[in-house]
Amino acid sequence: MRSAPRVAALLSVATVAISSLAYAAAPSGIHVDVELNLSASGDWHAGEPGLAVDPRNSRNLVAVWPEQDATGIYRNPATGTFDTLTGTLGYDADPAASRCGVAVSGDAGQTWRRSVLPAQTAQSTLCADATIAAGPDGTFYAAVITFAQPTMPVPGVTPGTLPHLANIEPARGSADVVIRSTDGGRTWSSPPVDAIGNRTAADRARYAPGSSPETGGEGTCDRPWITVDQQTNTVYLTAIADAVQFNGSTKNESWVTASHTGARSFGTVYPVDSPRFPQSGAAAIAAGHGILAVAYSGHRSDQSTDGVVFETSRDAGRTFRRHTFAAPTTTSAPFGVYLAGDPERAGHYAVAVPGSGDNLLVFITRDGGVRWSRTAVAVGTDRPWIAFSPHGALGVMGRGTDSQGAQIVRAAFSFDGGAHFTRPVQVNSKPSPPLKPGTLALYDDLSWITLTDRYAYVAWGDDRSGARNRNGENNVWVARVRIAG
């Protein structure tokens, strides 16, 4: 059990003003001017991109993503079919079956140099769930899961029923680790620094007294999110214990830790929820002006209906001030609640959750969570993302489908802090075809948008085949949207 004295909370429910969307007139010239296959790595299955921009030079970008050797995992080499469980799973036969890609650009996304992110360790040779952020001094921070999984029990799989799982080695623990680059993503620090994990006694000793982190398998180490306070240069990382742990757990609970040393070391690991405000699903973080903000699916303990719990902390997650507001959330984790903080204005945050149809619901607060307004933006509710520009423009993106089931990627923008949005623009020039029969959507759990004052960069997973993707594997695509002259 977590100790109750560690939590300071607001018991009142936040006020939400509901408004219908009045589309703003788009500034002239908003259009997609670059679109390309970013991962383009042959027979590797890639997705879940993250992208960050150097605050000192907006022409410098770094993108990261996880990818898997599709030949070993998805395609049965004997039959050429996409039957994922009867072919070679890949992990036991290929120590590099799951790795993380990285690409860097020095010309505002027109061209990229692609390589492999050096985030694995000797103990945990596999890499997944890459995410990235940039600090005010231009340092890029990449966070990933390093692991040696899958280990038994794999959810839904009975030990001994699949011969190709027989040689999977015992669990050696997992960790969400961080590496940093001070030269625009060309070289990275080594070795990776454990931020949240269970691989070592030192990892386990950093959890807050009275907390009860999940152990075994990935434990608390699914899907890291990383963000950097642009005013204090504090690096924050969250990770989640959820159903995909390879240890039988069905608990949803996120954890947060902070670094004041440029990710050379991390401090105490705190739970983001509390017994009075339990978490039920997704969580997201933002930081700025000396404040950590977290939004997660949950509720007050004296209520039964889930909504969004929004909380802020001035002491790196040791204590939180909490508000709740009604929103249609689900218990799926770690996705479903999305958060962005305005780098220019303290107390100004945006939270997005999927609504009905193509409507992404965007909630705005300008007073740190006391009062909220709500708007619907028809960008699509599949794998959305939300972000502020350095000077307060707000961008949202999402995926939807056409009548044939092909994927459409859209984005919309607000230049008045979230009160009004432009009409959604289609980002992908051609729809992505539906997944092939028997293909998993693994490693394609999220999309991304990040903004400079001139451009929005949208990244997503896409199945379009072409000269650099003849097999039609899921690849990471990126588009540059001009939002200002």
Side-chain angles (χ1 to χ4, degrees):
M1 295 293 293
R2 280 149 283 159
S3 54
R6 291 187 175 276
V7 177
L10 272 185
L11 298 181
S12 59
V13 177
T15 301
V16 179
I18 308 300
S19 63
S20 59
L21 175 58
Y23 283 114
S28 60
I30 287 186
H31 65 282
V32 177
D33 61 5
V34 174
E35 184 195 18
L36 52 86
N37 184 337
L38 186 59
S39 59
S41 51
D43 202 25
W44 284 74
H45 180 96
E48 299 182 19
L51 194 152
V53 181
D54 184 344
R56 303 174 310 164
N57 183 353
S58 61
R59 293 178 63 83
N60 295 337
L61 289 76
V62 178
V64 296
W65 61 87
E67 58 187 19
Q68 290 184 306
D69 185 348
T71 301
I73 297 176
Y74 292 100
R75 183 174 287 103
N76 185 325
T79 66
T81 59
F82 287 82
D83 42 5
T84 60
L85 291 181
T86 58
T88 301
L89 186 63
Y91 289 107
D92 51 342
D94 182 357
S98 181
R99 67 187 188 187
C100 293
V102 60
V104 300
S105 175
D107 56 9
Q110 294 187 85
T111 61
W112 297 80
R113 182 172 63 85
R114 187 216 182 285
S115 60
V116 177
L117 195 68
Q120 295 96 325
T121 68
Q123 184 186 36
S124 302
T125 58
L126 303 177
C127 177
D129 286 7
T131 187
I132 193 163
D137 60 355
T139 300
F140 287 92
Y141 301 94
V144 307
I145 304 174
T146 60
F147 65 110
Q149 255 88 18
T151 54
M152 288 301 180
V154 177
V157 177
T158 303
T161 59
L162 298 175
H164 57 275
L165 294 179
N167 296 325
I168 290 177
E169 55 191 310
R172 292 185 291 178
S174 300
D176 288 325
V177 303
V178 178
I179 57 176
R180 64 189 183 279
S181 173
T182 58
D183 60 4
R186 291 161 181 81
T187 63
W188 296 86
S189 59
S190 182
V193 174
D194 285 13
I196 297 176
N198 61 15
R199 294 191 305 173
T200 68
D203 286 344
R204 294 187 288 272
R206 287 194 299 109
Y207 288 88
S211 62
S212 55
E214 290 290 319
T215 59
E218 290 181 9
T220 57
C221 308
D222 198 12
R223 174 39 68 184
W225 301 127
I226 192 167
T227 191
V228 185
D229 188 320
Q230 298 299 305
Q231 284 71 42
T232 68
N233 206 22
T234 303
V235 181
Y236 294 96
L237 184 137
T238 59
I240 192 167
D242 60 14
V244 188
Q245 297 303 299
F246 303 116
N247 67 356
S249 171
T250 58
K251 185 178 183 180
N252 289 320
E253 185 174 47
S254 292
W255 300 79
V256 65
T257 187
S259 173
H260 305 286
T261 61
R264 293 171 178 85
S265 62
F266 284 84
T268 303
V269 181
Y270 297 105
V272 305
D273 70 342
S274 77
R276 298 181 73 180
F277 292 86
Q279 182 179 355
S280 60
I285 59 171
H289 311 279
I291 300 170
L292 167 68
V294 184
Y296 64 87
S297 175
H299 57 270
R300 285 172 35 179
S301 60
D302 60 351
Q303 299 175 339
S304 58
T305 302
D306 281 337
V308 170
V309 179
F310 177 82
E311 61 187 13
T312 54
S313 175
R314 294 182 178 271
D315 53 14
R318 188 174 71 89
T319 60
F320 285 98
R321 185 172 178 85
R322 293 185 170 94
H323 307 265
T324 63
F325 62 84
T329 62
T330 70
T331 57
S332 63
F335 308 103
V337 176
Y338 306 89
L339 171 65
D342 187 341
E344 193 170 51
R345 299 172 183 83
H348 185 200
Y349 299 96
V351 173
V353 301
S356 60
D358 278 335
N359 288 324
L360 186 68
L361 303 181
V362 180
F363 297 82
I364 301 293
T365 182
R366 300 176 188 270
D367 55 14
V370 178
R371 292 176 294 272
W372 295 82
S373 61
R374 193 191 80 178
T375 291
V377 188
V379 292
T381 61
D382 188 13
R383 289 161 285 189
W385 202 256
I386 187 167
F388 280 100
S389 75
H391 292 98
L394 179 60
V396 299
M397 64 81 59
R399 307 193 210 181
T401 55
D402 63 15
S403 59
Q404 305 301 313
Q407 176 179 270
I408 305 295
V409 181
R410 300 183 183 91
F413 305 96
S414 174
F415 299 96
D416 59 6
H420 304 86
F421 283 83
T422 64
R423 290 189 179 278
V425 296
Q426 182 170 328
V427 174
N428 53 342
S429 59
K430 295 181 180 179
S432 171
L435 289 173
K436 298 177 178 65
T439 305
L440 296 178
L442 193 64
Y443 281 10
D444 189 25
D445 289 337
L446 66 92
S447 313
W448 202 267
I449 187 170
T450 192
L451 282 73
T452 68
D453 290 328
R454 187 178 188 186
Y455 297 115
Y457 297 92
V458 182
W460 67 95
D462 197 298
D463 297 312
R464 276 178 281 177
S465 59
R468 304 183 69 184
N469 183 24
R470 295 188 182 281
N471 292 322
E473 299 291 349
N474 199 75
N475 277 197
V476 171
W477 282 64
V478 65
R480 189 180 74 181
V481 184
R482 186 184 292 269
I483 61 174

